[in-house]
Amino acid sequence: RQGAALARAAGDMLAWMEHTNASASALGDVGCLEESRQSNLELLAVAEQLCMVFHQLLCRANLGGLCTDLDRLDEAEAHFVEARRLARAVEDPRVEGGLAIYVARLALRRGELDRALAEATKARATLDPVPQLRAYAWAMSSAVLLARGDVTSA
């Protein structure tokens, strides 16, 4: 955080964003979800001011995932809706598939098993040509199938 504060004071917003993003990620990794959420909200505000669409998209996706973990499910849904709107401008299957995994996890948390399965299936189809992310899509699909009681398919 100290590096982020110094970068912001010096007027280097991109460096501040990089430091703040790294800090937010580290906070989330160690379970400080609310602190990570706050950092992502700060990042989102700056990304919106600077019209940085891809950064807004990443912040929205991160916020949706964090809010899901914090059981702030309506807030998570709103972030994912906005992230998907922003993703249309990016046209990247990794982004689309990653968002489908996040939304499947949200739907699973809400108990919306049909929606979760549809999102997991979308993620698998979208990420099939992306070996680095394919396993995540299959894992989410298996988690949804297990929740539905379909152990054989999982």
Side-chain angles (χ1 to χ4, degrees):
R1 286 188 185 252
Q2 186 177 10
L6 290 172
R8 191 168 197 171
D12 187 347
M13 292 308 289
L14 289 177
W16 173 82
M17 290 178 79
E18 289 175 13
H19 284 287
T20 303
N21 184 52
S23 173
S25 180
L27 286 166
D29 289 346
V30 297
C32 298
L33 303 179
E34 185 56 42
E35 293 86 346
S36 181
R37 180 181 160 276
Q38 290 301 321
S39 291
N40 272 285
L41 286 169
E42 289 177 43
L43 279 167
L44 177 62
V46 171
E48 288 175 341
Q49 287 175 343
L50 298 176
C51 300
M52 300 172 78
V53 174
F54 193 73
H55 287 81
Q56 292 174 49
L57 165 60
L58 294 177
C59 288
R60 293 284 186 179
N62 290 339
L63 283 163
L66 288 164
C67 289
T68 298
D69 291 340
L70 289 164
D71 280 326
R72 299 171 76 132
L73 304 182
D74 291 338
E75 185 178 345
E77 187 82 49
H79 285 301
F80 289 140
V81 166
E82 185 61 17
R84 280 189 157 159
R85 185 190 68 76
L86 293 165
R88 286 194 291 275
V90 175
E91 296 182 15
D92 185 334
R94 295 170 300 169
V95 171
E96 184 183 338
L99 284 170
I101 291 171
Y102 270 144
V103 174
R105 195 163 58 91
L106 169 64
L108 189 59
R109 188 80 160 240
R110 286 185 186 251
E112 300 169 353
L113 300 182
D114 290 340
R115 179 181 179 208
L117 184 59
E119 292 289 345
T121 301
K122 177 180 181 178
R124 282 181 36 204
T126 305
L127 294 172
D128 189 55
V130 185
Q132 305 89 332
L133 298 175
R134 186 182 308 141
Y136 292 112
W138 280 92
M140 179 49 62
S141 185
S142 292
V144 172
L145 291 167
L146 286 173
R148 292 171 62 99
D150 189 353
V151 177
T152 304
S153 296

